[in-house]
Amino acid sequence: YYKKAKELYDNSKYEDAIPPLKKAITLSKDYADAIYYLGLCYKYTSKNQEAIEQFELLESISPDYWAWYHYEVGSAQTDLGN
């Protein structure tokens, strides 16, 4: 599921990538890359609160994950007006 979702993401099909990313996470709750890309897909489809939730989950399960997601959290919060 992740491979298909990443292909969709790489082709800017963010909305289409959400279901397979969610399925990948259902199959493996700690799938950090899937959680990260799900957060990005939510952000790029203006689902900022959902994006923040994914990035917070990512931080809780993998605090040493690539730090760029902190920028994405801030950007999503700005888009929400926080």
Side-chain angles (χ1 to χ4, degrees):
Y1 293 98
Y2 175 78
K3 184 177 177 182
K4 176 64 176 171
K6 183 68 167 69
E7 182 181 307
L8 291 164
Y9 173 87
D10 289 344
N11 288 298
S12 301
K13 296 181 179 180
Y14 307 119
E15 191 70 47
D16 293 338
I18 292 172
L21 285 167
K22 290 171 77 174
K23 182 65 173 178
I25 295 165
T26 298
L27 296 172
S28 179
K29 300 282 186 210
D30 294 339
Y31 200 157
D33 288 337
I35 294 167
Y36 175 71
Y37 282 103
L38 180 58
L40 290 178
C41 287
Y42 281 142
K43 171 134 184 9
Y44 298 151
T45 56
S46 300
K47 297 175 180 146
N48 292 300
Q49 186 59 48
E50 291 90 338
I52 291 167
E53 290 167 7
Q54 293 306 306
F55 295 132
E56 288 175 347
L57 173 61
L58 178 60
E59 183 175 28
S60 73
I61 65 162
S62 186
D64 295 328
Y65 194 82
W66 188 47
W68 186 254
Y69 74 89
H70 290 288
Y71 166 82
E72 298 295 348
V73 170
S75 178
Q77 288 175 336
T78 299
D79 290 348
L80 282 173
N82 294 340

